[in-house]
Amino acid sequence: MKTLALVLFVLWPFSLAAQENPALRRAGAAYRDLEYGQAIALCKQALRDRLRAADQERAYEILGFSFAALDSARQATDAFAQLVLLSPDRELDPARISPKITSLFALARAQVLVVRRIAVDSAHLIAGSQFVPVTFAVTRAARIQARIVGGGREVVLDSSRAEGTVRLQWNGLMSNGLPPTSGSYRLVIEASAGRDTYAASVPLRIEAGAVDTLAHLTSLEGYDLLPETVIPPRTWKPLALAAMAAGVVAGTSVALESAKLGGGGRRELLSVSLGTVSIGLLASLKRPAPVPAPANIRYNALVREQLARRNAELAMQNATRRRQVQLTIKPERRQ
Amino acid sequence: MRHWLISAALVLVAAPLAAQRVSIGAEGALADYREQGAALRFSGSGASGRVELSMWRLSAEARMTRLHVDGASTTADVTDAFDISQGEFRLRMQMRPRIGVEAALLSRKMDPEHAAQSMQAWRAGGVFTQPLAPGADLAVRAGYLAATAFGGGGTAPFGFDVGLNVSYGPGSGRVRLTADYEFQRVDRRTTVGGTRIDVPIQSAVARIGVAVRLGGQ
């Protein structure tokens, strides 16, 4: 018994500086001094006063801890039940708190009906096409109804019996089938089980805007266009062709010369033949002209065809997107 | 001849301008002219100008060459210098990318008129063109000379023309260096005092110059 009290004392999780109510402050001091009876009396006295919500939570916590220390399980559970109702998300660290106390706390939580750990992630979604997840936990089997309300409209996300962790999705549309306008909304979750009811809400900020359209593609990633012409290697073919042409013409001219008119005097032939060979040499030394690359041309045609097809698909998607609404959902701090 | 040139020019000018390509050239010319026998051999030089209009697969070229020749044989002292005015109008059609056919009207006149044989003839033949490199082209042509008429009379059952043309244009190829060789042999026959004699004519002209291309690609 003393060991348990010592552990509770060492692991006492509260900050005394934040306690304003004098009776509550004295209750904390009595608990540290292992004067559990006095701590219980002071807490009850404090609870008869008008306490802030945070002080009420502390008062019921000290009560629960003190009753647990005195082995008053039922009263400890009642105090923890009040604590859970005031602070549904409150958790006790099992690594630091006695299992006796945490088990009593868990028992108390199972007895009350609360909705805990409500989570709505910040999200961007296209109304009607995408979903934003909503999760929460119900401590007991209950009929739950989750709604989003605001701007004079509402939509029911789910209405069914559930227990434990519940995962819902919202498609961004209100009950009239239209996306919400920009403004402040609330996610309201109501739970009812027999005569017990519980309601919790989370404020949401929703911004409605136009959906970004997709840019047309100018290239396909990983499929770059290839050069449609290639420069062939340098060749001496032009020089050979020029020399051959000059030789053919010179040979024909000489062969056609009339024997009666005499020979010699071929400066005209020699000058043009020399010029022809010179130009053949220049053409051989010149950088070759690019020539078409049929394989690359066919490949580029396929890539361009795919690009055109993809852009046609994007155009269709953009036509749809221009009719859609982009929602930005951001949970706000709870009041 | 003049009427032919004017008519052809009118027809070509009427064609769509976008499809036309005009090339204008100026050349220096060297000439070797021989007729009748080894004693009548002349050589000289001169100038030549040409205009060519290309359109689709057709091209037309008008060329005028003016040469001054002097005796070049060992007995040159018995020959006088004279001028040769040589005109040519040619039509060519490309049958295949490298093979074309052509027809031309040739005219050669002498000044003084009786210094040598004036001549007029039709030429029909073919041409083989071969691009050597971007801006460098080669053409070899051969043609038969027909319907030949001479200032001094006579006939020519055989006449042949061989040519070689090469051009080179650095850069865009609009301005080109050109070299052209033309060899003609005409086996003229005439009758003197009831005796038929052979008086062959042979000429070789080399032209080297510059051509500028206007319009087209």
Side-chain angles (χ1 to χ4, degrees):
Chain A
M1 182 69 176
K2 286 187 177 179
T3 307
L4 173 64
L6 185 62
V7 169
L8 293 175
F9 173 75
V10 171
L11 300 178
W12 181 246
F14 303 105
S15 168
L16 294 176
Q19 295 177 359
E20 298 293 333
N21 185 279
L24 190 59
R25 190 162 55 245
R26 281 165 37 217
Y31 181 83
R32 285 197 305 278
D33 294 339
L34 308 182
E35 298 291 342
Y36 303 120
Q38 190 179 358
I40 290 168
L42 287 168
C43 282
K44 287 182 176 176
Q45 180 188 336
L47 285 167
R48 283 194 289 270
D49 298 335
R50 292 176 64 84
L51 295 178
R52 295 180 305 151
D55 286 346
Q56 284 184 38
E57 291 174 24
R58 284 192 207 101
Y60 281 115
E61 193 168 34
I62 295 170
L63 265 182
F65 275 69
S66 297
F67 279 125
L70 294 174
D71 289 334
S72 299
R74 189 183 59 78
Q75 290 164 301
T77 305
D78 290 344
F80 284 139
Q82 293 301 319
L83 175 61
V84 171
L85 286 171
L86 287 171
S87 179
D89 291 335
R90 174 69 67 96
E91 297 282 357
L92 298 183
D93 185 357
R96 301 178 61 193
I97 309 283
S98 159
K100 180 179 179 181
I101 294 177
T102 55
S103 61
L104 289 172
F105 184 82
L107 181 65
R109 197 164 59 195
Q111 289 176 354
V112 296
L113 175 64
V114 289
V115 177
R116 308 171 59 237
R117 296 200 301 263
I118 302 172
V120 180
D121 293 337
S122 295
H124 298 276
L125 72 151
I126 296 172
S129 298
Q130 296 171 330
F131 296 91
V132 59
V134 174
T135 60
F136 57 89
V138 187
T139 52
R140 281 168 53 192
R143 173 166 292 282
I144 58 110
Q145 186 181 58
R147 295 177 295 141
I148 289 179
V149 296
R153 292 176 182 168
E154 72 168 27
V155 62
V156 176
L157 305 188
D158 189 37
S159 179
S160 60
R161 281 190 70 80
E163 184 180 8
T165 301
V166 179
R167 291 183 177 82
L168 302 177
Q169 287 183 322
W170 181 43
N171 65 357
L173 297 178
M174 303 303 278
S175 57
N176 59 0
L178 297 175
T181 55
S182 297
S184 294
Y185 292 78
R186 297 190 77 79
L187 167 64
V188 178
I189 299 168
E190 295 164 322
S192 61
R195 286 180 297 180
D196 294 336
T197 60
Y198 187 87
S201 68
V202 174
L204 302 173
R205 180 69 193 173
I206 298 179
E207 298 291 341
V211 177
D212 291 332
T213 53
L214 302 170
H216 273 223
L217 300 176
T218 55
S219 63
L220 293 177
E221 193 176 357
Y223 295 93
D224 294 331
L225 294 179
L226 300 176
E228 296 193 351
T229 57
V230 294
I231 297 175
R234 179 163 289 160
T235 171
W236 294 103
K237 186 179 172 186
L239 176 61
L241 284 170
M244 191 167 70
V248 166
V249 171
T252 307
S253 299
V254 171
L256 286 173
E257 281 179 355
S258 171
K260 189 176 179 183
L261 297 175
R266 298 193 181 100
R267 63 173 183 169
E268 294 80 14
L269 176 61
L270 289 174
S271 60
V272 174
S273 296
L274 187 63
T276 301
V277 172
S278 301
I279 286 174
L281 180 63
L282 278 176
S284 290
L285 296 176
K286 192 175 181 179
R287 188 180 178 186
V291 295
N296 291 2
I297 292 170
R298 286 195 296 274
Y299 171 85
N300 288 350
L302 284 175
V303 172
R304 289 192 186 101
E305 186 182 318
Q306 285 295 323
L307 195 59
R309 192 175 298 168
R310 184 78 186 103
N311 278 330
E313 291 172 2
L314 290 179
M316 288 175 61
Q317 289 180 23
N318 284 341
T320 305
R321 281 170 172 259
R322 286 187 194 97
R323 294 192 294 269
Q324 293 176 326
V325 175
Q326 167 99 39
L327 297 180
T328 302
I329 299 173
K330 192 184 296 182
E332 293 183 321
R333 182 186 293 273
R334 276 197 247 188
Q335 300 299 318
Chain B
M1 177 70 179
R2 185 174 297 171
H3 296 297
W4 271 95
L5 290 173
I6 292 171
S7 302
L10 286 175
V11 169
L12 291 170
V13 167
L17 290 174
Q20 294 180 11
R21 192 175 66 195
V22 179
S23 178
I24 300 171
E27 297 145 336
L30 299 173
D32 180 88
Y33 181 82
R34 307 176 192 194
E35 69 174 47
Q36 191 171 356
L40 294 179
R41 178 187 165 204
F42 304 88
S43 67
S45 61
S48 176
R50 70 178 185 91
V51 176
E52 181 180 12
L53 177 62
S54 301
M55 192 170 52
W56 305 304
R57 293 160 63 186
L58 299 172
S59 69
E61 183 188 74
R63 164 174 268 156
M64 182 59 71
T65 307
R66 179 83 175 178
L67 300 161
H68 179 79
V69 294
D70 205 348
S73 69
T74 51
T75 56
D77 52 336
V78 300
T79 57
D80 293 327
F82 62 94
D83 292 334
I84 302 174
S85 296
Q86 186 169 310
E88 177 182 331
F89 178 74
R90 171 197 38 91
L91 288 174
R92 178 183 293 172
M93 181 175 179
Q94 288 297 129
M95 306 301 291
R96 303 291 299 268
R98 294 184 182 178
I99 296 174
V101 293
E102 62 178 25
L105 178 62
L106 312 176
S107 172
R108 186 185 296 146
K109 290 185 177 176
M110 309 300 177
D111 184 22
E113 187 177 354
H114 299 294
Q117 285 293 329
S118 297
M119 187 183 89
Q120 205 165 35
W122 284 95
R123 187 182 77 213
V127 61
F128 174 78
T129 56
Q130 170 69 46
L132 297 176
D137 295 292
L138 176 77
V140 177
R141 67 174 187 275
Y144 182 75
L145 298 174
T148 318
F150 301 97
T155 59
F158 177 80
F160 210 79
D161 179 296
V162 176
L164 172 66
N165 178 277
V166 66
S167 65
Y168 179 74
S172 65
R174 284 194 177 276
V175 179
R176 289 183 168 227
L177 297 171
T178 62
D180 183 85
Y181 174 71
E182 174 189 276
F183 176 86
Q184 287 177 356
R185 175 181 165 180
V186 180
D187 284 355
R188 176 176 171 247
R189 290 176 182 173
T190 187
T191 305
V192 178
T195 306
R196 210 167 75 165
I197 57 171
D198 292 334
V199 279
I201 297 171
Q202 179 178 301
S203 75
V205 180
R207 302 179 184 90
I208 295 174
V210 179
V212 179
R213 193 188 68 203
L214 307 171
Q217 298 298 314

